[in-house]
Amino acid sequence: MARYLITRLGQALVIVVLVTMITFVILHLLPGGVARATLGKEATLEQLAAFNRDMGYDRPWVQQYVMYVERLLRGDLGYSFQLNQSVTEAIGQRLPKTTVLSLLSTLLAVVVAVPLGVVQAVRRNRWPDYAITALSLLAYATPIFFMGLMMIIVFSQVWPILPPEAPQGFTLGEVLADPAGLVLPTVTLAIVTIAVYSRYVRSSMVDNLNENYVRTARAKGLPEGRVVGRHTLRNGLFPVITLLGMYLPALFSGALVVESLFNFPGMGQLFWQAALKRDFPILFGVTLIIAVATVLGALLADLLYAAVDPRVRLRAGRA
């Protein structure tokens, strides 16, 4: 297990280094360079030269990359002249809000998707399986912005029980103080995830229901509920554990749309506004944070999978 952990940590470190290299290269391939992208089209050649000299962009690329990594290790992601604040500060103000939104939507998705997947597997090729499959495909095929608009129209206009706008607040506490405003963004972000997770749970449960240990448990006379809930479900959740870590980029892309639609002051809205204003320090800072979080999420998913699956521990011990 220790060797497996060291191997996965090494792979994660390599990927993080590659991510920093890619973001560094893209940053320097911007039309007109970083100085032009930051100062705008009206900047003079003298101003561009002074910016490059002050920021160290006139030095060799290898030296620039070393400086870039040193700043990242200090938590310095750059400075946004559009917002007149550091990228680290801007992200730090919005990251907790997006994290809460993502966690709530993921929790809702797991709570709903797992029972749906179990019902589909137990009642496979019957009307409950067909009905849930049709709804899942419909939810998966519907654009998330259209889903959000329908939520607003139904639950804020036709049936006005929820506010059409997400909680507005500078701090996380102010956002959490308005739980009703979190309902529509959370449900909108969770719907597609529910469709994906339920299909994975169904497929995994169907495979496990055909295993010999299930036949043995049934032959011993165990109740069907115990066979499904205690024996089959545990093995059937392995793919979902892995999917939780790998689904982070999809969650952020969905959060970008949802936060913009419901005016939620999170990282998705920050990224969208930065794209409109061509605020490249914010764009690359958010991209780097999401990439690193994705790597760490995949690493955590692998470690959780190894912790619950004895076959992984056995292979790790033999390695």
Side-chain angles (χ1 to χ4, degrees):
M1 185 65 180
R3 181 172 298 181
Y4 177 79
L5 175 61
I6 294 174
T7 301
R8 292 296 294 116
L9 287 174
Q11 294 173 352
L13 181 60
V14 171
I15 295 175
V16 170
V17 172
L18 291 176
V19 168
T20 62
M21 290 182 177
I22 293 172
T23 54
F24 174 80
V25 171
I26 295 177
L27 186 65
H28 287 75
L29 291 179
L30 293 173
V34 182
R36 178 65 69 184
T38 303
L39 300 180
K41 299 179 180 179
E42 304 300 327
T44 63
L45 294 178
E46 291 77 11
Q47 291 173 330
L48 296 177
F51 181 87
N52 288 329
R53 183 173 58 255
D54 294 339
M55 300 299 295
Y57 292 137
D58 58 343
R59 301 180 184 182
W61 276 40
V62 175
Q63 189 175 357
Q64 290 186 46
Y65 177 72
V66 173
M67 295 171 55
Y68 176 70
V69 173
E70 289 177 349
R71 290 198 300 268
L72 292 180
L73 293 176
R74 295 196 303 267
D76 182 7
L77 298 175
Y79 190 85
S80 170
F81 292 94
Q82 298 280 354
L83 300 177
N84 195 26
Q85 65 177 156
S86 67
V87 176
T88 304
E89 182 181 354
I91 293 177
Q93 293 172 354
R94 294 162 176 83
L95 180 59
K97 304 170 190 176
T98 297
T99 301
V100 168
L101 180 62
S102 299
L103 289 177
L104 289 176
S105 64
T106 302
L107 179 61
L108 176 62
V110 172
V111 169
V112 176
V114 171
L116 289 180
V118 172
V119 170
Q120 286 184 271
V122 174
R123 302 294 182 182
R124 61 186 179 277
N125 298 328
R126 301 178 186 176
W127 73 264
D129 184 22
Y130 295 143
I132 297 175
T133 298
L135 292 175
S136 298
L137 293 177
L138 179 62
Y140 188 78
T142 303
I144 193 169
F145 71 89
F146 182 79
M147 188 75 68
L149 288 175
M150 291 297 100
M151 289 286 183
I152 293 174
I153 293 174
V154 173
F155 296 104
S156 296
Q157 304 299 323
V158 178
W159 191 20
I161 60 174
L162 294 171
E165 188 177 53
Q168 301 300 302
F170 185 76
T171 64
L172 179 61
E174 293 173 348
V175 172
L176 294 178
D178 183 15
L182 287 171
V183 173
L184 289 184
T186 301
V187 173
T188 302
L189 188 59
I191 286 178
V192 176
T193 310
I194 291 173
V196 174
Y197 285 4
S198 64
R199 297 302 296 168
Y200 273 90
V201 173
R202 179 195 182 279
S203 177
S204 181
M205 286 289 295
V206 168
D207 291 339
N208 282 276
L209 285 172
N210 294 323
E211 294 290 339
N212 290 330
Y213 74 90
V214 175
R215 299 191 184 96
T216 302
R218 287 170 173 167
K220 291 181 178 180
L222 293 179
E224 185 67 17
R226 187 176 179 182
V227 173
V228 174
R230 183 173 180 179
H231 297 281
T232 313
L233 183 59
R234 180 180 177 183
N235 293 327
L237 290 180
F238 287 160
V240 178
I241 294 175
T242 305
L243 195 64
L244 286 174
M246 300 301 297
Y247 208 66
L248 185 60
L251 272 178
F252 176 73
S253 62
L256 190 153
V257 177
V258 170
E259 289 181 8
S260 300
L261 181 63
F262 290 95
N263 195 28
F264 185 79
M267 282 184 61
Q269 187 187 64
L270 175 67
F271 189 88
W272 174 250
Q273 293 174 346
L276 294 177
K277 298 178 181 178
R278 297 175 62 84
D279 192 348
F280 291 104
I282 292 291
L283 294 176
F284 286 108
V286 174
T287 301
L288 185 63
I289 291 295
I290 296 301
V292 173
T294 302
V295 173
L296 295 179
L299 175 62
L300 179 61
D302 288 344
L303 295 180
L304 289 174
Y305 192 90
V308 298
D309 191 348
R311 293 171 297 181
V312 177
R313 295 197 296 269
L314 181 60
R315 289 196 298 268
R318 292 176 178 174

